[in-house]
Amino acid sequence: MDKMLKVDIQKKLKEFDLNVDFELKKGCLGILGPSGCGKSMTLKSVAGIVDPDKGIVSLTTDSETVYFDSDKKINLKPQKRNVGYLFQNYALFPNMTVEENVAAGLPKNYDKNIVSGMIKRFHLEGLEKRYPRQLSGGQQQRVALARIMAYGPDVLLLDEPFSAMDTFLKEQLRTELSNILKDFEGFSILVTHDRDEVFQFCDELLILDKGKIIAKGHTHEMFENPKRVSVARLTGCKNISKIEILDDYHVKSLDWDLIFEVSQKISPNITHIGIRAHDFSPADKDDLNVFETINSKKLERPFEWDITLANGLWWKVDKQIHEHEFEIPQYLKVNPKNIILLEE
């Protein structure tokens, strides 16, 4: 029997109707979208914290377990679902020590080796007798993950796990979580509005907007070819312009007033093009897809130059931290294969 997490749910919310339908057969699914689009509500429906109005949530491993089925009137309580939920605020018990928190989901006669194993695995040695208020944000997150993993969940739900952290701590914990997910044999779903997190952790990607799935597929493929304007924006494409189609392989950008050759035949439903900010390169006047950089402005960041061109395009150039000079070339170009064709 194939392993699978199936979610097909509908729920009426104040601003919109949530309508989510997907099947996860392995690895980690990312749900990407703006704040308030229904991402967390989807996780809560899987966990049993909220009830959908109708639909089905089921897990197939060696056999099928139906968590929720509106037609058959099945609705397992959260504690019966064997689903681990990492909340944004970690939801640790404030009056329990670290080791008591880690043991909180285990039966009363639990094996002490499970807790000591989790303490070691999540680098919590020496903190066993501390309370959550005595821990840093990163330590609290590790305790929350240790508590979840201690009872061996079938499904791991991660709700914006890095949203409240500073950059240094975020990078550290991303690496740790990446290793945890690689070793995890169940299913995991990561909800975020951060495209870097989705790209790093998730095999599959689902993009949600106002309660509806607007795109889904393999993560890397969706970044390379987002197909729609809204998906391109959410995956970090800085340069997007309306176009006029000139012929099968040429478009005029209406926002930048430039003509570009593209590598794919243009279908009539293409309304925009996108160019990622790193995809420009210095050029000679006679190169293909070339334009002038006159009146450009530059902004220095620690590891990047941000170049804003007079026509409205953005160019990002990698730099070393000790390099403080950069001469903007007179001409830039973009390879036809790096121009993304987009529908509205």
Side-chain angles (χ1 to χ4, degrees):
M1 192 178 282
D2 289 340
K3 288 186 172 185
M4 182 171 68
L5 175 67
K6 178 178 171 58
V7 178
D8 182 0
I9 52 168
Q10 297 85 48
K11 185 171 178 65
K12 195 163 190 60
L13 303 175
K14 201 179 284 184
E15 290 84 10
F16 50 78
D17 292 348
L18 180 67
N19 190 342
V20 175
D21 177 9
F22 64 86
E23 291 178 354
L24 181 59
K25 294 187 175 173
K26 63 174 182 178
C28 183
L29 171 74
I31 303 182
L32 182 67
S35 296
C37 71
K39 303 188 300 289
S40 292
M41 190 59 72
T42 301
L43 286 198
K44 287 172 182 170
S45 299
V46 174
I49 298 165
V50 300
D51 298 334
D53 297 331
K54 59 181 179 176
I56 185 165
V57 180
S58 68
L59 176 73
T60 304
T61 50
D62 298 327
S63 59
E64 185 183 36
T65 305
V66 178
Y67 292 161
F68 177 85
D69 188 328
S70 54
D71 290 341
K72 294 180 179 173
K73 304 285 190 286
I74 297 171
N75 190 5
L76 293 188
K77 288 189 163 79
Q79 51 270 36
K80 297 279 186 188
R81 295 193 183 200
N82 203 28
V83 170
Y85 197 125
L86 183 68
F87 293 89
Q88 284 182 24
N89 62 358
Y90 313 131
L92 297 174
F93 297 108
N95 58 339
M96 287 187 183
T97 63
V98 165
E99 61 188 357
E100 287 168 344
N101 263 289
V102 173
L106 299 172
K108 285 181 181 173
N109 59 342
Y110 69 87
D111 180 351
K112 297 285 192 292
N113 289 328
I114 294 174
V115 174
S116 59
M118 287 296 151
I119 294 286
K120 191 173 179 184
R121 179 176 173 185
F122 288 93
H123 315 297
L124 296 165
E125 298 101 322
L127 304 175
E128 292 90 339
K129 303 300 179 189
R130 289 195 191 177
Y131 291 91
R133 66 180 178 276
Q134 299 170 306
L135 303 175
S136 69
Q139 289 166 341
Q140 288 181 27
Q141 190 195 61
R142 294 208 300 273
V143 174
L145 275 167
R147 180 177 65 187
I148 290 166
M149 301 306 277
Y151 60 82
D154 295 313
V155 181
L156 183 57
L157 306 175
L158 305 160
D159 194 352
E160 300 272 9
F162 307 107
S163 58
M165 293 186 183
D166 63 54
T167 307
F168 174 71
L169 191 55
K170 198 181 283 191
E171 292 304 323
Q172 257 186 323
L173 289 168
R174 274 182 181 173
T175 305
E176 286 186 25
L177 185 58
S178 179
N179 293 331
I180 290 162
L181 291 178
K182 275 181 192 137
D183 294 340
F184 183 54
E185 292 181 357
F187 298 100
S188 49
I189 304 177
L190 169 72
V191 150
T192 183
H193 59 267
D194 186 315
R195 64 182 183 274
D196 292 347
E197 288 171 17
V198 156
F199 197 82
Q200 182 176 358
F201 295 120
C202 305
D203 311 283
E204 300 284 322
L205 175 57
L206 181 154
I207 294 184
L208 211 55
D209 193 22
K210 293 180 183 166
K212 291 187 172 48
I213 296 171
I214 60 169
K216 59 181 170 181
H218 293 296
T219 302
H220 286 212
E221 285 173 17
M222 286 182 62
F223 272 77
E224 284 169 24
N225 185 15
K227 293 183 180 171
R228 295 178 63 169
V229 170
S230 52
V231 178
R233 284 206 179 98
L234 283 167
T235 56
C237 186
K238 294 278 188 209
N239 300 303
I240 296 174
S241 169
K242 283 187 175 177
I243 56 157
E244 176 190 332
I245 298 173
L246 303 178
D247 61 35
D248 284 352
Y249 291 93
H250 292 87
V251 297
K252 181 179 181 182
S253 148
L254 301 179
D255 293 79
W256 312 317
D257 194 27
L258 295 169
I259 291 173
F260 291 110
E261 181 177 307
V262 300
S263 63
Q264 288 175 277
K265 189 173 179 181
I266 305 160
S267 62
N269 52 339
I270 297 299
T271 57
H272 292 70
I273 56 169
I275 305 172
R276 298 204 181 268
H278 283 94
D279 280 344
F280 299 107
S281 57
D284 295 321
K285 186 178 180 179
D286 298 326
D287 286 344
L288 181 64
N289 288 346
V290 73
F291 54 90
E292 281 197 85
T293 63
I294 195 163
N295 295 329
S296 300
K297 295 188 176 76
K298 64 182 175 185
L299 174 68
E300 184 180 9
R301 298 187 184 278
F303 302 104
E304 259 180 350
W305 292 101
D306 275 358
I307 314 295
T308 313
L309 305 172
N311 57 21
L313 285 164
W314 282 45
W315 181 32
K316 287 187 179 291
V317 187
D318 292 336
K319 68 180 274 284
Q320 301 297 318
I321 196 161
H322 57 267
E323 293 173 357
H324 301 298
E325 295 301 324
F326 178 71
E327 197 70 41
I328 300 173
Q330 187 179 354
Y331 297 100
L332 287 179
K333 65 181 176 183
V334 59
N335 191 313
K337 70 179 175 58
N338 289 334
I339 297 176
I340 308 165
L341 303 179
L342 301 166
E343 298 174 29
E344 183 64 76

